[in-house]
């Protein structure tokens, strides 16, 4: 059985732990490899390497760091197909979708190439007579990232390229469900010229996460995953004096106004609700139909679900692949059961989906619920599968209140032809990422990604300037030459 190890000090590191976790091909349900679940000793090996490399790397000039990042970007582009295959093989998403996610990750590397410019601070001459002030942004030290299964390339790439560009060393703890891509990403960085130990990958489960949270030699923790774990990470990391950004789950609403262009809206909803089998934190899981558009909207989505091709990633025709695991498939089917029990109308039922030759795969068809109410479990909780709920409301105000009252606040979108409504929506909705006639408003690398409420704990979103600020410490210098020295001691605060 193929074994996935760690990547420490610029090479594959076998680790001392004997514990492993199986890695499956979700299309067939067959185990394809096993990944090491590292122990405390393995963590110490990674940390020692990261601490050592930090001293050297933090002194490399930003311009020279940028040159290595630029080499890395080229290597990533040259190896995009391979990286996407590694993602699809263990995650199950379609190859095109995986390629798209790798591209979005590479864009963060591209952003980080601008680090000499991005690190420029502020300068004020004569803040007092003959006194100047300026600010600089210095690296934190060893930063850590803990990432989820659903984007095994893109989510880690929201973190480490920015952190490393800022002069930090970085330890990544990827999801144990699809760990291969991270190792390849690290190998390519070494090939691009990154000194050994600046980017280490340690595989494992809660044991390693807790080592990260408890270590006083780790300066910051970036986390992306489910809300209960995000909250735990935030609280534990903060308790141990670390800087922390912790992104959690989501329940994203797409509001359909009566004046929306229905074809465009349904096109948007199909990809956003069912793409990647709904395993996206920005997936649309609730369509809010305002006024009399509801019947037509539901009928259109129903028709379009019949055209969706649910297939393994190896088939180029696939619109959507399987779920990540047997347990997750059972969980999503349970949610559908619960929706029926609680009185929602199941218009399209994806349960029990079978593909000839792939009977043991974790496939589920698209599902559509109508008449979903605010108090139902399928409305309140994140399902993380291809299940769309339609909530009918009478007015725009009702739609906004619904969204603002929800415990999650990652993304939302409105489809309308009315600029005034759109402007009111973008101003008043209590959500971190907002789209207008855009179904999945994921910010580009030079903006920042992050939600509100139960979708992000901590002050900083990821990448863009938020990322630069998260991964650097601000220092402000005030200096006076040399008049003050000549004029003798001063005992009051200088005010002019
Ligand atoms: P998860 O929370 O189960 O796991 C995420 C990471 O935490 C993994 O590396 C895992 O090993 C580790 N982990 C799991 N349980 C832990 C525990 N008890 N203690 C410490 N560490 C633990 O999430 P997942 O199932 O891998 O990913 C899906 C979730 O991620 C969804 O809720 C999705 O919405 C969320 N997500 C959010 C965003 C965002 O930007 N907000 C992006 C992608 C995914």
């Amino acid at each position: 059985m193929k074994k996935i190890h760690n990547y420490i000090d610029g090479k594959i590191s076998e680790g001392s732990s004997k514990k492993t976790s199986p890695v499956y091909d979700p299309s067939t349900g067959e185990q394809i490899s096993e990944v090491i679940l590292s122990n405390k000793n393995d963590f110490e090996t990674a940390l020692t390497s990261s601490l050592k490399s930090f001293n050297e790397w933090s002194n490399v000039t930003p311009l020279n760091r940028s040159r290595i990042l630029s080499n890395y970007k080229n290597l990533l582009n040259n190896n995009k197909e391979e990286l996407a295959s590694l993602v699809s093989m263990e995650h199950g998403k379609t190859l095109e979708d995986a390629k798209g996610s790798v591209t979005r990750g590479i864009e963060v590397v591209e952003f980080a190439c601008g680090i000499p410019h991005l690190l420029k601070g502020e300068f004020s001459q004569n803040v007092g007579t003959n006194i100047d002030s300026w600010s600089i942004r210095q690296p934190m030290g060893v930063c850590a990232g803990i990432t989820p299964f659903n984007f095994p390339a893109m989510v880690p790439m929201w973190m480490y390229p920015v952190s490393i560009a800022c002069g930090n060393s970085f330890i990544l703890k990827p999801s144990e469900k699809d760990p291969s891509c991270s190792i390849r990403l690290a190998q390519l960085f070494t090939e691009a010229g990154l000194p050994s130990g600046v980017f280490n990958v340690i595989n494992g489960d809660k044991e390693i996460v807790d080592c990260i949270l408890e270590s006083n030699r780790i300066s910051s923790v970036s986390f992306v995953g489910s809300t209960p774990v995000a909250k735990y990470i935030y609280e534990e990391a903060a308790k141990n004096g670390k800087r922390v950004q912790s992104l959690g789950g989501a329940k994203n609403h797409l509001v359909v106004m009566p004046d929306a262009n229905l074809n465009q809206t349904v096109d948007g909803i199909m990809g956003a609700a069912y793409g990647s089998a709904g395993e996206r934190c920005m997936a649309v899981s609730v369509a809010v139909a305002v006024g009399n558009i509801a019947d037509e909207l539901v009928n259109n989505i129903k028709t379009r679900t019949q055209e969706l091709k649910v297939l393994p990633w190896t088939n180029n025709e696939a619109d959507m692949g399987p779920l990540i695991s047997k347990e997750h498939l059972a969980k999503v089917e349970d949610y559908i059961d619960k929706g029926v029990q609680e009185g929602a109308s199941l218009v399209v039922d994806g349960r029990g989906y079978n593909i000839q030759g792939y009977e043991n795969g974790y496939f589920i068809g698209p599902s559509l619920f109508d008449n979903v109410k605010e108090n139902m479990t399928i409305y309140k909780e994140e399902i993380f599968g291809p299940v769309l709920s339609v909530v009918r409301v009478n007015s725009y105000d009702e739609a906004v209140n619904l969204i603002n009252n929800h415990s999650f606040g990652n993304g939302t979108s409105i489809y309308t032809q009315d600029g005034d409504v759109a402007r009111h929506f973008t101003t008043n909705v209590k959500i971190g990422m907002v789209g207008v006639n855009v179904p999945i408003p994921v910010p580009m690398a030079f903006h920042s990604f992050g939600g509100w409420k139960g979708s992000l704990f901590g002050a900083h979103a990821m990448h863009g300037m938020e990322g630069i600020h998260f991964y650097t410490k601000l220092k402000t210098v005030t200096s006076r030459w040399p008049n003050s020295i000549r004029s003798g001691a001063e005992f009051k605060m200088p005010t002019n």
Side-chain angles (χ1 to χ4, degrees):
M1 180 67 60
K2 184 183 156 206
K3 187 164 174 186
I4 299 150
H5 301 277
N6 296 326
Y7 190 86
I8 298 173
D9 246 351
K11 54 187 179 307
I12 298 286
S13 167
E14 293 206 351
S16 61
S17 170
K18 297 285 168 263
K19 273 202 305 180
T20 60
S21 180
V23 178
Y24 296 97
D25 172 353
S27 300
T28 61
E30 278 166 24
Q31 186 180 346
I32 46 177
S33 58
E34 58 180 3
V35 60
I36 181 172
L37 296 180
S38 307
N39 58 24
K40 209 170 173 133
N41 286 339
D42 304 328
F43 172 72
E44 281 301 322
T45 309
L47 184 57
T48 306
S49 150
S50 300
L51 285 163
K52 187 162 161 271
S53 69
F54 172 70
N55 293 331
E56 180 196 343
W57 182 243
S58 53
N59 285 312
V60 172
T61 62
L63 193 58
N64 282 332
R65 285 186 227 144
S66 165
R67 287 177 180 138
I68 293 171
L69 281 157
S70 188
N71 292 342
Y72 186 42
K73 188 197 77 168
N74 294 337
L75 277 174
L76 290 167
N77 273 320
N78 293 343
N79 290 276
K80 200 191 278 185
E81 289 277 336
E82 185 207 342
L83 291 165
S85 305
L86 287 174
V87 169
S88 293
M89 198 173 72
E90 294 177 351
H91 177 281
K93 65 175 79 184
T94 69
L95 196 56
E96 282 309 305
D97 195 24
K99 261 190 248 170
S101 72
V102 173
T103 303
R104 296 308 291 265
I106 296 173
E107 285 163 4
V108 180
V109 177
E110 205 165 15
F111 164 73
C113 287
I115 199 65
H117 176 73
L118 296 167
L119 283 179
K120 281 195 301 193
E122 295 167 330
F123 181 87
S124 299
Q125 193 175 28
N126 286 335
V127 292
T129 307
N130 293 335
I131 304 175
D132 305 324
S133 268
W134 69 92
S135 60
I136 47 178
R137 292 208 157 262
Q138 295 188 314
M140 303 279 299
V142 181
C143 302
I146 302 154
T147 53
F149 78 82
N150 67 323
F151 283 108
M154 184 181 81
V155 170
M157 291 167 94
W158 285 352
M159 303 172 181
Y160 71 82
V162 181
S163 176
I164 288 171
C166 289
N168 302 293
S169 53
F170 197 92
I171 299 179
L172 173 67
K173 203 301 281 175
S175 168
E176 58 275 42
K177 295 186 180 116
D178 43 17
S180 290
C181 195
S182 297
I183 300 287
R184 191 69 190 118
L185 288 170
Q187 282 173 328
L188 290 171
F189 219 162
T190 303
E191 214 177 296
L194 188 73
S196 301
V198 178
F199 183 36
N200 290 327
V201 180
I202 183 141
N203 282 302
D205 55 12
K206 183 171 172 12
E207 187 178 338
I208 289 302
V209 172
D210 286 339
C211 289
I212 292 172
L213 297 176
E214 283 158 20
S215 169
N216 59 14
R217 290 166 294 165
I218 294 209
S219 305
S220 79
V221 177
S222 303
F223 173 84
V224 176
S226 58
T227 291
V229 184
K231 199 156 177 286
Y232 169 76
I233 303 278
Y234 178 69
E235 288 168 356
E236 289 301 305
K239 197 166 81 191
N240 292 319
K242 295 179 204 323
R243 191 176 283 188
V244 51
Q245 53 180 182
S246 198
L247 278 63
K251 195 84 186 174
N252 306 309
H253 299 64
L254 186 146
V255 178
V256 188
M257 291 300 291
D259 68 343
N261 175 319
L262 202 65
N263 281 341
Q264 279 175 8
T265 308
V266 174
D267 275 346
I269 288 177
M270 291 307 293
Y274 302 117
S276 205
E279 289 175 329
R280 287 181 182 145
C281 64
M282 286 294 275
V284 167
S285 45
V286 182
V288 187
V290 180
N292 57 12
I293 202 163
D295 286 343
E296 221 182 327
L297 179 74
V298 170
N299 285 335
N300 270 270
I301 299 172
K302 183 183 171 188
T303 309
R304 294 284 295 276
T305 54
Q306 284 147 14
E307 297 159 13
L308 259 182
K309 297 193 185 71
V310 185
L311 291 164
W313 70 275
T314 40
N315 189 322
N316 289 338
E317 303 264 285
D319 293 316
M320 145 188 160
L323 292 173
I324 185 72
S325 66
K326 203 178 188 164
E327 294 73 26
H328 192 52
L329 173 63
K331 189 173 159 194
V332 173
E333 293 198 330
D334 278 354
Y335 270 116
I336 301 174
D337 295 346
K338 203 163 263 172
V340 174
Q341 283 157 22
E342 292 183 359
S345 328
L346 185 58
V347 180
V348 180
D349 185 359
R351 289 172 296 183
Y353 201 89
N354 238 320
I355 301 177
Q356 212 185 358
Y358 294 89
E359 288 78 4
N360 294 325
Y362 313 134
F363 289 97
I364 182 168
S367 292
L368 176 64
F369 276 110
D370 193 4
N371 299 308
V372 173
K373 305 283 182 239
E374 223 176 325
N375 59 355
M376 292 179 181
T377 310
I378 55 165
Y379 177 75
K380 290 190 287 194
E381 296 180 12
E382 180 183 47
I383 299 175
F384 221 54
V387 182
L388 178 68
S389 295
V390 174
V391 178
R392 295 174 177 235
V393 296
N394 294 318
S395 67
Y396 163 77
D397 286 342
E398 238 184 280
V400 174
N401 285 338
L402 188 74
I403 299 170
N404 287 351
N405 289 337
H406 206 286
S407 63
F408 291 116
N410 218 34
T412 190
S413 178
I414 189 164
Y415 272 68
T416 180
Q417 318 249 15
D418 186 329
D420 179 45
V421 167
R423 193 163 187 280
H424 187 275
F425 185 76
T426 53
T427 309
N428 293 290
V429 76
K430 293 186 176 117
I431 300 288
M433 293 170 282
V434 182
V436 175
N437 299 321
V438 169
I440 309 187
V442 173
M444 294 294 282
F446 38 93
H447 284 269
S448 300
F449 185 108
W452 289 10
K453 299 187 267 184
S455 299
L456 170 65
F457 302 93
H460 294 281
M462 298 214 170
H463 60 70
M465 287 315 290
E466 288 272 302
I468 301 290
H469 289 174
F470 181 76
Y471 288 120
T472 51
K473 286 184 286 195
L474 177 70
K475 184 180 277 178
T476 307
V477 182
T478 303
S479 70
R480 176 154 63 177
W481 297 93
N483 280 356
S484 59
I485 295 167
R486 281 204 305 265
S487 57
E490 277 178 17
F491 296 97
K492 65 173 178 54
M493 295 273 282
T495 51
N496 53 38

